[in-house]
Amino acid sequence: MSTSDNYSPPKVWSQDEDDGNKWASINRPVSGATHDKERETGNHGFQLYSLATPNGQKVTIMLEELLAAGVSNAEYDAWLINIGEGDQFSSGFVDVNPNSKIPALVDTTTTPETKLFESGSILMYLADKFDMFIPKESHEKVECMNWLFWQVGSAPYLGGGFGHFYSYAPYPMEYPINRFTMETKRQLDVLDKHLANNEYMAGSEYSIADIAIWPWYGNLVLGNLYDAATFLKVHEYQHLLNWAQKIEQRAAVKRGRIVNKTWGEDGQLANRHSATDVDNALKQ
C-alpha cells in the first residue's frame, strides 16, 4: 500500500492483498462463488437476501409499503447477508445474483421462480406486479422513471465515491474527497431545486422514485449516512430536508429501514419472517 502523492500506476495492475481497507480480505477482481452454501428459504412468496444498507432499505421499504397498503401477497422472509463475512459469495446467493451484491430477491410464486437483483429492477418488478407506486398519469409516470434511473446512475458517486473516500478509505485523500464532495453537493442541489416545486419526486404522488432516493439522499441529509451532514452543509437544502423528514415519518419506512439491520439504536432485526418480528424490534 502506498500513501505517496507521487504514486504512478504500474504497467500491469495486481491486487494488493493488504491495502488498509476493511474490505480487503473479501474484495477480489473476479466473480463467482467462493464457498458452497444453499440459500435459506421461508414460507412466504418472496424471499429476500439483503442487508440494511441504502440499497437494501429500498426493497424492504417497498415491501413494507405494499403490506401497509393491504397487499397481503407481498409478505416476505428477509435473510441477513453479512457482506463483511462474505455471505454474498455463497453458491446460493450467487445463483440469484451473479454480481454478488445485495439485495437479491426470489419470487417463489412464479413457475419457474423469478430471480431478481439490482434494487431498481426489484422496485420496478414489485410495482408492476402489484400495480402500485408508479403513477398512472403519463407525465408523472415518466418523471418517476426519470428519477428512478437518476438514482441508480448517481448512487455510485455518492456511495462508491464520496462515501468510500470520506468514510472507508484507509487514509484521507484530498483530491478524491474534494472531487466526490463537489459531485455529491451538486446532486443534493439538483434534488433540492426539483423538490422546491414538487411534493414528491414524480410530482404529487409518492412512488418508487422516492423509495429509491430516500435511503441514500434522505438518510444523508438527515445525518444517518457517513456522519457527513455538517461537512456537506445539508442545511442549505431545505426543500430536500423537508421531503426527507416527511418520508422518514411514514410507518412503512420506519419498519423497512430496520429489516436486516444489526447495528444502531433505532431498531435492529437481523431476519424478518412476519410483521410481528418488526413490531417487536421497534418496541426494543
Side-chain angles (χ1 to χ4, degrees), residues 7 17 29 43 51 85 126 135-136 176 192 227 230 240 250 274:
Y7 168 77
E17 297 296 336
N43 297 322
L51 183 69
E85 298 297 323
L126 293 171
K136 302 293 190 297
D192 191 63
D227 194 23
T230 299
L240 176 57
R250 294 180 68 92
S274 71

Side-chain angles (χ1 to χ4, degrees), residues 155-273:
Y157 290 95
L158 176 55
F162 174 77
H164 176 81
F165 287 104
Y166 185 76
S167 293
Y168 302 132
Y171 55 90
M173 289 171 264
E174 182 177 3
Y175 176 80
I177 289 175
N178 285 343
R179 171 67 181 87
F180 286 110
T181 298
M182 179 178 66
E183 176 61 15
T184 296
K185 286 183 69 67
R186 189 193 69 81
Q187 292 177 4
L188 294 175
D189 193 51
V190 167
L191 291 169
D192 191 63
K193 288 175 176 173
H194 177 70
L195 289 165
N197 300 305
N198 294 276
E199 183 179 6
Y200 296 108
M201 294 309 304
S204 61
E205 186 176 338
Y206 180 72
S207 72
I208 57 173
D210 301 284
I211 294 171
I213 292 169
W214 186 88
W216 282 104
Y217 296 90
N219 273 324
L220 184 69
V221 298
L222 292 171
N224 301 326
L225 190 62
Y226 308 133
D227 194 23
T230 299
F231 180 75
L232 294 169
K233 296 195 292 186
V234 300
H235 66 274
E236 297 178 337
Y237 312 106
Q238 193 58 55
H239 304 295
L240 176 57
L241 270 168
N242 293 342
W243 168 87
Q245 291 164 351
K246 178 169 58 178
I247 291 179
E248 183 184 34
Q249 296 307 309
R250 294 180 68 92
V253 172
K254 292 178 180 180
R255 298 173 69 84
R257 67 182 299 184
I258 71 165
V259 177
N260 298 138
K261 188 168 179 282
T262 58
W263 64 90
E265 299 178 355
D266 57 346
Q268 299 182 22
L269 182 60
N271 298 298
R272 186 262 192 213
H273 304 296

Side-chain angles (χ1 to χ4, degrees), residues 1-3 7 10 12-29 170-171:
M1 179 180 67
S2 172
T3 61
Y7 168 77
V12 177
W13 180 85
S14 62
Q15 184 178 18
D16 187 341
E17 297 296 336
D18 183 17
D19 64 4
N21 185 277
K22 71 176 185 177
W23 306 109
S25 63
I26 62 169
N27 285 341
R28 58 204 182 102
Y171 55 90

Side-chain angles (χ1 to χ4, degrees), residues 43-234:
N43 297 322
H44 298 305
F46 290 103
Q47 299 295 307
L48 176 66
Y49 307 90
S50 192
L51 183 69
T53 65
N55 280 338
Q57 287 183 0
K58 294 179 197 176
V59 179
T60 48
I61 288 172
M62 177 63 168
L63 288 165
E64 292 293 335
E65 290 281 11
L66 289 166
L67 290 170
V71 182
S72 59
N73 288 338
E75 267 294 355
Y76 67 105
D77 295 281
W79 304 92
L80 178 68
I81 298 297
N82 189 332
I83 62 175
E85 298 297 323
D87 292 350
Q88 68 274 32
F89 299 114
S90 70
S91 57
F93 188 88
V94 172
D95 178 60
V96 182
N97 184 0
N99 195 41
S100 292
K101 302 289 184 181
I102 62 95
L105 181 71
V106 179
D107 182 353
T108 69
T109 68
T110 64
T111 305
E113 294 180 336
T114 301
K115 299 173 182 177
L116 299 141
F117 62 94
E118 289 298 322
S119 56
S121 175
I122 296 172
L123 290 180
M124 289 185 65
Y125 178 86
L126 293 171
D128 286 340
K129 185 179 182 76
F130 297 112
D131 194 25
M132 295 192 71
F133 299 114
I134 293 181
K136 302 293 190 297
E137 193 275 323
S138 60
H139 177 79
E140 290 195 351
K141 182 176 182 179
V142 169
E143 280 288 273
C144 176
M145 293 297 104
N146 286 344
W147 287 107
L148 174 64
F149 281 87
W150 175 88
Q151 190 281 315
V152 297
S154 298
Y157 290 95
L158 176 55
F162 174 77
H164 176 81
F165 287 104
Y166 185 76
S167 293
Y168 302 132
Y171 55 90
M173 289 171 264
E174 182 177 3
Y175 176 80
I177 289 175
N178 285 343
R179 171 67 181 87
F180 286 110
T181 298
M182 179 178 66
E183 176 61 15
T184 296
K185 286 183 69 67
R186 189 193 69 81
Q187 292 177 4
L188 294 175
D189 193 51
V190 167
L191 291 169
D192 191 63
K193 288 175 176 173
H194 177 70
L195 289 165
N197 300 305
N198 294 276
E199 183 179 6
Y200 296 108
M201 294 309 304
S204 61
E205 186 176 338
Y206 180 72
S207 72
I208 57 173
D210 301 284
I211 294 171
I213 292 169
W214 186 88
W216 282 104
Y217 296 90
N219 273 324
L220 184 69
V221 298
L222 292 171
N224 301 326
L225 190 62
Y226 308 133
D227 194 23
T230 299
F231 180 75
L232 294 169
K233 296 195 292 186
V234 300

